[in-house]
Amino acid sequence: MDVDARLRELGLELPTPMTPAGNYVPAATVGDLVYLSGAGPVRSDGSMVRGKVGDGGLDLDAAREAARLTGLQLLAALRAEIGDLGRVRRVARIFGMVNCAPGFNRTPAVIDGCSDLLVEVLGDAGRGARSAVGMAELPFDIAVEIEAVVQVST
């Protein structure tokens, strides 16, 4: 699959990958698996989507969009690690964390923003195992943080 052509067809441009916020790398390749560090939602102007979901600050639609933006960050980090996104065999696992107010329990619907993007871009290879959990806090008060494990051809 020509993933770059698919991105153009969808009108998507991958952002510059986030700089690590600590002592870690954005991606680590072990054999045919690429482990992508947690990424957050960065808008095209470089600002981050911040706040809690479900407390009046962010609604479900805004949180889903934040997860979609995070998916773009994951793809950008993956491309920086492997060069050609056409090497993706499948997304093995997504772990999504949602910065949410007490009582908000629609975390799977939020992380669907990322999962839906990965399937749009990568087809069935973008569908993998997944967890979607709520957190009391996330770094820098970002709305979502998502990490991934991706199998690639060697």
Side-chain angles (χ1 to χ4, degrees):
M1 171 189 254
D2 184 346
V3 178
D4 288 331
R6 180 67 181 147
L7 287 167
R8 284 190 301 277
E9 180 181 310
L10 293 168
L12 298 173
E13 187 173 324
L14 295 185
T16 301
M18 290 176 57
T19 303
N23 188 12
Y24 63 91
V25 294
T29 301
V30 179
D32 67 346
L33 296 177
V34 179
Y35 294 83
L36 296 171
S37 296
V42 181
R43 296 181 185 99
S44 60
D45 67 2
S47 67
M48 298 193 75
V49 180
R50 301 178 194 274
K52 289 199 178 296
V53 182
D55 71 351
L58 289 174
D59 64 15
L60 179 59
D61 289 338
R64 283 177 60 89
E65 179 58 23
R68 183 177 177 84
L69 290 171
T70 304
L72 291 170
Q73 279 293 325
L74 290 170
L75 288 171
L78 182 59
R79 179 192 277 163
E81 179 72 5
I82 67 170
D84 177 9
L85 290 175
R87 291 181 52 207
V88 172
R89 290 180 58 196
R90 88 168 294 161
V91 172
R93 182 172 191 270
I94 295 289
F95 180 64
M97 297 161 275
V98 180
N99 185 358
C100 59
F104 182 83
N105 60 10
R106 305 223 25 228
T107 54
V110 171
I111 302 304
D112 276 345
C114 177
S115 296
D116 292 349
L117 171 79
L118 294 176
V119 172
E120 284 176 50
V121 172
L122 301 170
D124 282 339
R127 191 180 329 275
R130 186 183 87 176
S131 297
V133 299
M135 300 289 185
E137 300 291 334
L138 286 175
F140 312 109
D141 198 34
I142 58 176
V144 298
E145 181 175 355
I146 304 172
E147 59 184 49
V149 179
V150 180
Q151 184 184 36
V152 297
S153 59
T154 53

